[in-house]
Amino acid sequence: MKETVFKKFGSLVLSKETMKERLPKDVYEAFETASSKKGELDNASADVIADMMKEWAIENGCTHFCHWFQPLTGSTAEKHDAFVENNNGELLLKFSGKSLIKGEPDASSFPSGGLRATFEARGYTYWDLTSPAFIRGNTLCIPSIFISFNGEFLDKKGPLLKSIELLDEKVTELLRLCGWKEVNSVKPYVGLEQEYFLIDRPLYKKRLDLILTGRTLFGHSAPKGQELEDHYFGAVPTRVAAFMKDVNEELWKLGVYAKTEHNEVAPRQFELASIFADANIAVDQNQMIMDILKRVAYEHDFACLLHEKPFAGINGSGKHNNYSLICDDGSNLFAPGKDHKEQLRFLLFISAFVKAVDTYPELLRMSVATAGNDHRLGANEAPPAIISVYLGEYLENIIEDFAAGNDVHDLKMVHDYNIKGFKNLPADTSDRNRTSPVAFTGNKFEFRMLGSSCSAALPNLVLNTIMAKALDETIDELKDVKEEDLERKVVEIIKKNFSEHKKIIFSGDGYSADWIKEAVERGLPNITSTVEAINHYDDRKNADLLEDYGIFSESEIKARKTILFEQYSNTLAVEIRTLLKMVNRQVLPSIARETLEYKNADSAMMKKHYEKLCACYDSISEAIGKLENDLNRAMEEKDEYQLARKMRDLSNDEMPEIRKYIDEYESISSKEIFTVPTYSEILF
Ligand code: ADP
Ligand code: MG
């Protein structure tokens, strides 16, 4: 191949092919066996692998290695160690199997929700053999899980891996029961679409709210918003194109298949989608994507905002999670089949998914609950806070047919658009419904409730686990069925799944007020705030599910719930304190200065303006006095749930009020005096 950027694809990731090339045959086989969970890695092999990794890393400019893990903060963490050792006064470059497999970062400063008291601060990281090591800067990063001294998970990856194994076990068992003996393993595959805002760094640096909270806490709407719909899919601006080019090249070097990029709906909003990968890797890669977006933005004098709602009045950002189950023979269990038998299998898995979502909507809702996402879910842009499943007219027709006792028919559909040269185009098996939180899109389900800054680990853990449960119940129903009755029974189960869980299926407009009413009548939960969503974590039903399958212990659930409450309350406390600071140091002094210019004016209109400014000053000043008092009072609350509720009320009731006054002032303020960058300046 000629020297192109693609030549460097994967150059910074230690692929299996490179490992195979560089390792003795028996050592590579030991690695393969261990990474496919069929055996343990012996110490001697680990030493050889570590040494090879060190050589490869040093050749590529590395001086350090680290265990790269995902603590419950939601981002990633690492502690770097150099390859250097002192060998009696001589420099020795060394990386042992022991250091490869196990690390021991001081765990005391990561959230543990009480699982680990500071006096027993030990925490361990263990190499995840299923996700490849990669290079960032001068460091070899080794994807790892993070657990406490007592073996409790302190991270997001460990439990996700457990859920992937659980699902594999249940799917393969069910497929065998149904006579699909050729399948040995199944994995969930995930494709993530990442939305973000890109704004000028010099303006970003002038707004404390953007720096500390990731969003604007006030700001009068620009005269133009997204109403002209001229940004979506429009030509990418030159500076942004240069940024995207660098982002892609960085990601390709890391073996991430960055694929699609385009302008999003709101001004300055963009999207990057990478090609789907197995869930564990997709989640890791999404962390890299978020990291690289931020770093490259910095190099281009931009700031990348991953917050779910950086600006009021225009769309926020999400992260669509495309999900399917793919077997080791390449077949996708959510893809319509080619013949009768495959078609039954397809419907069995689709119906199990519908059952899973309908049985555990609260848990799914919880998995995407964050303070930032509350500004988005249920607003007029993202999916509503009510979970429903969209299957599309085509699939719904099949199901109806099926329920009426008709045989499953050929699933191929063609369109005849009646344009010359465009005859018999294959049609998608589903239309698009943008308002649905969970939509079937032809051969996968798209879960659209994730916030843009969210780690995709928990939502996928929940999808895997609830799916495993639904399949487990199917296994029980089929276990003792005689071979000749099998098909009849499978048909019966599909029908039952669809009819018993009909209430979750909805094809209409998810934004409409009528739907909220109808959903309540159907008995679907409408959990509008993060506080209530978190509170469902340990509902009996949910705790039973997670504990029975060994995904979490009772104490792990309790700890995770505590951490989510803490993160929520802390996020809001930071927002409130930031608002107070900006008001006291910027807004009020500006108004005061501005009044001086009008104070002694003779003009009646100028006098009026003066009075308007004074009124703004008084309203803001009074409201922030109250907010400060109320914050201090709320912070005395000891109960985590009650504290979170109080913070939510401050955020919902008092902050918008203050914002209204500030925006009023901003709209009449002097550009010279009030220098906080406005929406017009930032967005256009
Ligand atoms: P849209 O914007 O229409 O939702 P995109 O092309 O932006 O579509 O994103 C679709 C995402 O779904 C991509 O990440 C793609 O790789 C992923 N995807 C495609 N097929 C599958 C599949 N079988 N399983 C999981 N993800 C998939
Ligand atoms: Mg999408």
Side-chain angles (χ1 to χ4, degrees):
M1 205 192 322
K2 260 177 64 187
E3 272 304 318
T4 67
V5 287
F6 297 113
K7 192 99 201 248
K8 295 201 185 119
F9 187 91
S11 58
L12 295 182
V13 60
L14 184 59
S15 65
K16 278 193 169 177
E17 291 71 47
T18 310
M19 291 182 80
K20 197 170 181 177
E21 240 170 67
R22 291 182 168 233
L23 288 173
K25 196 157 177 278
D26 58 323
V27 177
Y28 180 75
E29 268 161 19
F31 165 76
E32 269 284 84
T33 311
S35 70
S36 52
K37 307 268 153 64
K38 291 188 195 107
E40 297 290 321
L41 192 67
D42 60 287
N43 292 339
S45 299
D47 274 331
V48 178
I49 296 172
D51 197 59
M52 179 276 293
M53 281 181 160
K54 178 202 74 187
E55 293 297 320
W56 176 79
I58 291 175
E59 280 167 31
N60 283 288
C62 287
T63 50
H64 288 68
F65 67 91
C66 76
H67 274 188
W68 181 79
F69 58 103
Q70 298 169 29
L72 295 169
T73 54
S75 51
T76 61
E78 50 201 74
K79 183 181 122 198
H80 298 181
D81 279 302
F83 289 117
V84 298
E85 294 286 343
N86 180 347
N87 186 24
N88 297 322
E90 299 254 320
L91 170 68
L92 176 72
L93 296 177
K94 194 171 169 220
F95 184 37
S96 68
K98 204 167 145 269
S99 315
L100 165 62
I101 290 173
K102 182 173 161 192
E104 198 176 332
D106 181 358
S108 59
S109 297
F110 293 109
S112 79
L115 280 181
R116 172 198 25 70
T118 27
F119 61 83
E120 47 183 41
R122 267 169 207 275
Y124 301 95
T125 51
Y126 286 95
W127 176 28
D128 166 20
L129 281 72
T130 58
S131 184
F134 61 93
I135 291 174
R136 217 188 37 216
N138 61 354
T139 304
L140 173 70
C141 300
I142 298 158
S144 303
I145 61 167
F146 182 39
I147 62 176
S148 75
F149 182 73
N150 297 321
E152 291 128 338
F153 285 120
L154 296 175
D155 74 339
K156 303 216 164 198
K157 183 195 263 282
L160 174 66
L161 288 172
K162 261 197 173 174
S163 73
I164 292 173
E165 277 172 40
L166 167 74
L167 186 59
D168 179 14
E169 184 194 316
K170 298 300 169 196
V171 179
T172 40
E173 190 177 343
L174 177 59
L175 288 177
R176 282 211 188 108
L177 264 179
C178 297
W180 291 84
K181 304 224 162 58
E182 54 281 17
V183 169
N184 295 309
S185 73
V186 179
K187 275 184 190 169
Y189 275 74
V190 171
L192 293 159
E193 303 163 53
Q194 178 70 49
E195 292 180 338
Y196 59 93
F197 277 86
L198 200 63
I199 64 169
D200 278 325
R201 187 158 191 89
L203 296 172
Y204 166 86
K205 274 170 42 188
K206 284 198 193 141
R207 287 202 66 136
L208 190 66
D209 48 3
L210 283 177
I211 296 173
L212 295 184
T213 72
R215 74 178 182 107
T216 54
L217 299 174
F218 55 81
H220 196 267
S221 297
K224 178 180 166 178
Q226 60 194 42
E227 60 278 79
L228 299 181
E229 296 177 340
D230 50 358
H231 185 69
Y232 190 52
F233 279 26
V236 176
T238 317
R239 257 184 80 209
V240 177
F243 157 84
M244 286 179 170
K245 175 177 178 285
D246 285 358
V247 166
N248 286 331
E249 286 181 23
E250 287 303 311
L251 289 172
W252 290 335
K253 280 190 231 163
L254 286 166
V256 178
Y257 289 83
K259 171 97 177 158
T260 309
E261 59 191 23
H262 60 78
N263 291 2
E264 258 303 327
V265 174
R268 294 248 148 219
Q269 193 187 27
F270 305 93
E271 177 181 302
L272 177 122
S274 54
I275 297 181
F276 64 105
D278 92 45
N280 179 34
I281 291 183
V283 169
D284 283 0
Q285 290 189 338
N286 182 250
Q287 290 288 353
M288 298 181 202
I289 289 173
M290 292 195 284
D291 180 54
I292 281 178
L293 283 171
K294 284 195 191 149
R295 281 167 195 256
V296 176
Y298 187 86
E299 287 161 16
H300 285 252
D301 214 20
F302 283 129
C304 174
L305 308 178
L306 293 173
H307 192 281
E308 284 72 18
K309 191 78 179 176
F311 305 100
I314 56 173
N315 275 10
S317 303
K319 176 168 9 220
H320 290 175
N321 190 96
N322 296 272
Y323 180 87
S324 68
L325 301 178
I326 299 183
C327 310
D328 58 346
D329 67 354
S331 48
N332 175 353
L333 297 172
F334 288 155
K338 292 185 295 294
D339 54 32
H340 175 77
K341 204 170 151 209
E342 284 188 6
Q343 206 61 324
L344 275 185
R345 185 186 68 176
F346 163 68
L347 290 172
L348 183 62
F349 279 89
I350 296 284
S351 73
F353 184 89
V354 167
K355 171 180 174 173
V357 175
D358 188 40
T359 314
Y360 296 100
E362 298 90 352
L363 200 56
L364 262 182
R365 173 67 183 87
M366 181 283 296
S367 77
V368 295
T370 61
N373 223 3
D374 274 7
H375 296 284
R376 198 180 145 256
L377 293 185
N380 231 18
E381 46 170 275
I386 304 164
I387 297 205
S388 63
V389 178
Y390 170 82
L391 292 177
E393 203 186 334
Y394 171 66
L395 198 51
E396 280 177 26
N397 283 342
I398 291 181
I399 294 164
E400 240 169 63
D401 254 24
F402 197 65
N406 300 337
D407 191 16
V408 280
H409 48 265
D410 178 29
L411 281 186
K412 251 185 254 109
M413 266 215 313
V414 288
H415 272 323
D416 192 347
Y417 288 104
N418 209 9
I419 310 172
K420 258 204 170 115
F422 291 89
K423 269 205 173 326
N424 295 338
L425 296 177
D428 277 343
T429 39
S430 73
D431 197 2
R432 286 164 185 260
N433 180 332
R434 291 278 166 200
T435 66
S436 179
V438 184
F440 178 69
T441 49
N443 61 358
K444 59 191 190 297
F445 281 97
E446 184 169 349
F447 183 32
R448 302 195 178 119
M449 287 178 116
L450 284 74
S452 46
S453 68
C454 177
S455 153
L458 186 59
N460 285 297
L461 174 151
V462 171
L463 286 171
N464 294 339
T465 311
I466 62 179
M467 190 65 193
K469 172 73 177 173
L471 298 175
D472 212 0
E473 286 172 4
T474 311
I475 292 170
D476 279 343
E477 289 175 273
L478 288 176
K479 223 165 32 200
D480 302 319
V481 176
K482 283 200 227 71
E483 207 177 322
E484 60 268 30
D485 293 335
L486 212 62
E487 183 172 322
R488 196 186 43 77
K489 188 70 190 171
V490 167
V491 169
E492 197 183 302
I493 292 172
I494 297 172
K495 281 187 190 166
K496 183 161 65 91
N497 284 347
F498 283 128
S499 68
E500 282 181 359
H501 300 282
K502 221 174 19 211
K503 75 172 189 293
I504 198 85
I505 299 174
F506 175 65
S507 327
D509 179 2
Y511 296 165
S512 73
D514 287 350
W515 167 233
I516 298 184
K517 241 179 72 207
E518 189 186 330
V520 172
E521 280 161 20
R522 287 189 187 193
L524 298 177
N526 181 13
I527 306 168
T528 51
S529 87
T530 285
V531 185
E532 300 310 329
I534 299 170
N535 215 29
H536 282 290
Y537 210 150
D538 57 352
D539 285 355
R540 197 61 266 153
K541 177 175 77 173
N542 299 335
D544 279 349
L545 171 80
L546 296 164
E547 289 169 29
D548 286 352
Y549 285 132
I551 304 292
F552 292 130
S553 65
E554 193 184 339
S555 57
E556 283 172 317
I557 297 176
K558 165 107 201 28
R560 271 158 209 261
K561 192 175 161 188
T562 296
I563 292 169
L564 287 177
F565 276 135
E566 279 173 4
Q567 276 166 347
Y568 176 80
S569 296
N570 287 337
T571 304
L572 294 191
V574 169
E575 288 189 353
I576 293 174
R577 288 199 295 261
T578 305
L579 182 64
L580 293 175
K581 185 145 254 162
M582 288 178 85
V583 167
N584 283 323
R585 301 196 59 233
Q586 293 179 287
V587 181
L588 292 178
S590 299
I591 305 181
R593 242 187 85 195
E594 211 152 330
T595 55
L596 294 180
E597 311 227 333
Y598 296 91
K599 198 169 179 189
N600 301 315
D602 290 331
S603 136
M605 293 311 270
M606 281 164 92
K607 278 206 175 85
K608 249 200 182 137
H609 191 76
Y610 171 76
E611 276 157 22
K612 223 167 160 184
L613 287 170
C614 288
C616 279
Y617 190 101
D618 291 350
S619 309
I620 296 172
S621 167
E622 198 186 319
I624 64 151
K626 178 167 175 348
L627 179 61
E628 188 162 16
N629 271 333
D630 290 350
L631 173 67
N632 289 338
R633 200 138 12 96
M635 295 300 268
E636 283 164 19
E637 176 63 59
K638 292 286 172 291
D639 180 81
E640 59 193 17
Y641 171 59
Q642 293 305 336
L643 172 62
R645 286 181 60 144
K646 286 182 178 165
M647 297 302 289
R648 177 193 62 195
D649 293 344
L650 290 184
S651 170
N652 284 354
D653 304 338
E654 296 195 30
M655 286 179 78
E657 186 74 6
I658 296 174
R659 172 178 193 134
K660 201 181 79 203
Y661 297 135
I662 301 175
D663 291 357
E664 223 169 273
Y665 162 61
E666 194 204 283
S667 69
I668 56 163
S669 68
S670 152
K671 198 166 176 273
E672 271 68 50
I673 294 176
F674 189 55
T675 54
V676 177
T678 62
Y679 275 23
S680 299
E681 289 166 312
I682 298 174
L683 295 172
F684 294 98

